[in-house]
Amino acid sequence: LCGHSLGGGIAQVGALDIAPLFDAVELVTFGAPRAVHQITPILGNITHTRVVNNCDIVSRVPSRASGYTHWGDCVYFDHDGQRADLEGWALFLDRVAGRFDDFGTLGTAGVNDHGMPEYLRLAGV
């Protein structure tokens, strides 16, 4: 299964739904929201690759405080468009840098980084 944005959220729910019927389920999402609650059991036969571009706003909703969470392996593109393994303060500071890089361009970094054409560009397609 594969999806972008809301389609990625739907793909996550779909993967959880069909996982008991298959030996293996492969899921790839781009800029997807948090679609499962922390208490949702994730079956071991689902391989989820989550692709996130720097300031993509959709990948940060709904809030963790509401009990929703991301799951799977994250492929993160930093503010320079390079794959990076960041977390905590380093991730926060990279997103701040991304907002500064977009200063003066039409739109906001959170919206500009969300479009599927931007994900395809980062993937070299």
Side-chain angles (χ1 to χ4, degrees):
L1 301 172
C2 182
H4 169 254
S5 194
L6 178 58
I10 293 169
Q12 290 175 65
V13 173
L16 292 169
D17 192 41
I18 68 169
L21 306 174
F22 295 93
D23 292 332
V25 175
E26 187 168 344
L27 170 64
V28 179
T29 59
F30 298 88
R34 295 179 181 104
V36 299
H37 199 272
Q38 292 171 344
I39 62 171
T40 304
I42 307 297
L43 300 177
N45 64 332
I46 302 174
T47 303
H48 180 192
T49 303
R50 198 170 60 83
V51 184
V52 177
N53 183 18
N54 186 249
C55 292
D56 185 340
I57 190 70
V58 174
S59 66
R60 292 186 281 167
V61 296
S63 72
R64 286 187 296 250
S66 64
Y68 286 83
T69 189
H70 284 302
W71 54 288
D73 297 322
C74 182
V75 175
Y76 176 78
F77 287 94
D78 67 12
H79 73 280
D80 288 324
Q82 302 298 312
R83 284 184 66 165
D85 186 18
L86 302 175
E87 56 186 49
W89 280 104
L91 180 61
F92 172 79
L93 292 173
D94 183 64
R95 287 182 170 154
V96 169
R99 294 204 185 281
F100 277 112
D101 288 350
D102 278 2
F103 187 75
T105 61
L106 187 61
T108 65
V111 174
N112 293 339
D113 285 355
H114 180 65
M116 194 61 201
E118 183 64 12
Y119 280 98
L120 291 173
R121 184 189 70 76
L122 291 169
V125 176

